[in-house]
Each structure stands twice: as structure tokens, then as C-alpha cells.
Amino acid sequence: MSAVAVVAATTDGPRVKRGWKVIVGGGLLGFLALFMLVGPLISGYDPNATDLDARFAGPSAQHWLGTDDLGRDLFTRMAVGGRMTMLIALGAVALASAIAIPLGLLTGYLGGWVDLAVMRVVDLFFAIPTLLVAIGIVGLFGPSFSTTLLALGLAFWPFYARLVRSAVVGVRDLAYTDAARVIGAGRWRIIRKEILPALLPLLIVQTTVLLGFAVLDEAGLGFLGLGVQPPDASWGSLLAQSRGFVLSHPWIGVIAGVPILLVVLGINIMADVLRDRLDPQGAST
């Protein structure tokens, strides 16, 4: 085999693999997004409308995914619940990023007592699992959509802040930042113009990964009854509702759990794709 063929084979392999990841991950997320957006319009049912005569109806032409214990259409409730779950997850990640990225940049670059103080607070949060932090916040303010979003955002920021801080420490003394200092650039300009652009690939990938964790933790809070409250639905609350009918009506639990699995799988695959695209050196190793 010629040298050209060897080079082509080694470069085309990762590209083909990445292409399949885009198709699978993007396809899953695109399908679920379409389901959440147009599902209620297609079904024509009110997600909270009860019909006791249709309780526990199996999947059929009238109710594509069947009905629950109050006769509510599960297809519609899964679509509307997915919107709620994703809004909470996206809002929590946005809140965590808004706190963690500035703090991580400042502590990593400035060091000293600022770094010490913020990292000790982060260490306190690290002593408690994120889900327990979220449960504590929800228990303090009461379960609701906004409380769940706030709880997850406050539970996630310490991990993200430490990650950003570590990345800043790794680049703050590189040649290009030293060169910026030599020509008289101030610390804020260096952070904004030199360090932050270097960290963008890491921030994009980690924010995507964090979104998957937020979906799982929202489902955990909803399963414990600490998320969105009835009659509104989220994927976590629907999963909790199904647990009382696992043996008698098992399809309800499957219907409630599969979308969570698929969306987290799709997010993780796309995070892999982003990592490979934004970090070609890491992707080739």
C-alpha cells in the first residue's frame, strides 16, 4: 500500500466515524425536538384533559401511546413533559454557566486569596452530591418549575467553575498571554481577548455534557416528586407516575423512560462530535 493510501485511510476513518455519530446523535435529538414541538398539535388532545372511561387504554389509533390512570393521552403528555424537562435542563445549564464561567476565569487568572476563597466554597459543594444539593434547595423553597431550574443550576456551578479554573491555570502563563502582558494589555483584556477564546472549545463541549446531566437530574427530582407538580408533567414526574403500574400496565413505564434514555444518548453523542471537531489533536489520538 502506498504512503498516500495509508494517509487517506488514517484520515478518512475518523471522518466516517464522526459522520455516523452526527447522523445518529443529530437524528435522535432532531426527532425528539420535532416530537416535543408538534406532538400536541398532531394528537389534538389536551395534555391535562381526563377521560375516566378511557383509563389505561393501550396504544391504539385513538391514543398512539395509550392513556394513564386518569385517561389522559400519554403521547401528548410525553411531548409537553419533554418541553418542560428540556426547558428546565437548558435553564439550569445557562444559570450554572453564568455563575461558573466568570468565577472560573477570575479565580484561575488572579489566583491568590480570590482563588483560595472561591475554591473553598466549591470544595464545600463537592462534599455533597449534586442531586442532594438540588433536593435541599427544592425542600427549602418548595417544588415547582422555577425552583427545580434554580436548584439544578446552583447544584452544577461548582463542578463547572473548578473545570474552567483548571483550564485557565493551564493557559494563563503561555507565550501568547505573556506577550499580551509585555505590550501592556490589562488583565481584563487578556482574559477577554486571549484566555476566553482559547477555552471556547472546552466550554462548548462541557456545556453540552452538562445538559445531559441536567436532564437526568431533572428526571431524578421529578421521580421523587420534587420537580414539576401535577397536573403539569415532565419526563421525571411521568416516570414517577408509572411506578405504581409497573406490573399491571408496564408500557407506561417504558414510554416514560425511553425518551430520557434517547435524549441523553443523543446529547452525549453530539458532545463527542463537538469534542472531535473542536479538538482535532485529541480526536486523532
Side-chain angles (χ1 to χ4, degrees):
M1 183 180 293
S2 67
V4 174
V6 171
V7 171
T10 56
T11 55
D12 287 346
R15 190 178 300 121
V16 170
K17 183 179 179 182
R18 191 184 308 145
W20 278 109
K21 285 183 178 180
V22 172
I23 292 172
V24 174
L28 283 174
L29 295 180
F31 170 76
L32 290 168
L34 188 65
F35 166 66
M36 288 182 277
L37 289 174
V38 306
L41 301 177
I42 295 174
S43 71
Y45 288 101
D46 183 329
N48 296 326
T50 61
D51 181 5
L52 297 181
D53 292 332
R55 294 175 68 243
F56 296 123
S60 65
Q62 289 75 32
H63 300 283
W64 295 343
L65 296 180
T67 61
D68 63 9
D69 56 321
L70 296 178
R72 296 172 295 192
D73 183 68
L74 282 175
F75 181 88
T76 309
R77 285 181 66 76
M78 287 302 302
V80 174
R83 294 179 189 174
M84 198 75 71
T85 293
M86 294 310 300
L87 284 174
I88 290 173
L90 289 168
V93 170
L95 176 60
S97 300
I99 298 172
I101 293 175
L103 275 179
L105 288 169
L106 287 175
T107 57
Y109 185 78
L110 298 178
W113 68 267
V114 175
D115 183 28
L116 184 64
V118 174
M119 286 302 106
R120 294 302 73 77
V121 174
V122 168
D123 288 339
L124 288 176
F125 275 86
F126 263 80
I128 310 171
T130 55
L131 189 56
L132 288 182
V133 174
I135 289 173
I137 296 172
V138 172
L140 184 62
F141 294 103
S144 68
F145 171 88
S146 56
T147 304
T148 304
L149 189 157
L150 175 67
L152 291 177
L154 294 179
F156 286 141
W157 78 263
F159 163 78
Y160 205 2
R162 172 167 281 186
L163 182 70
V164 174
R165 180 254 183 196
S166 298
V168 172
V169 169
V171 301
R172 69 184 178 189
D173 295 323
L174 294 180
Y176 67 90
T177 54
D178 287 339
R181 291 189 197 97
V182 168
I183 64 174
R187 61 179 59 174
W188 305 116
R189 179 178 176 81
I190 293 174
I191 291 174
R192 189 176 71 254
K193 296 292 188 179
E194 306 295 340
I195 295 178
L196 184 57
L199 299 186
L200 276 180
L202 170 71
L203 297 179
I204 292 171
V205 173
Q206 291 303 319
T207 300
T208 306
V209 172
L210 196 61
L211 181 61
F213 282 109
V215 171
L216 286 175
D217 281 359
E218 187 285 326
L221 288 175
F223 187 78
L224 295 173
L226 299 175
V228 175
Q229 297 299 292
D232 294 328
S234 71
W235 284 345
S237 63
L238 289 171
L239 192 61
Q241 176 192 353
S242 70
R243 108 188 113 178
F245 318 111
V246 170
L247 296 180
S248 57
H249 305 91
W251 79 84
I252 298 178
V254 174
I255 290 169
V258 166
I260 300 172
L261 170 66
L262 293 181
V263 76
V264 173
L265 177 63
I267 290 171
N268 286 338
I269 291 174
M270 293 309 296
D272 253 359
V273 172
L274 289 171
R275 183 199 63 202
D276 293 347
R277 289 280 178 91
L278 298 173
D279 183 15
Q281 182 177 1
S284 63
T285 57

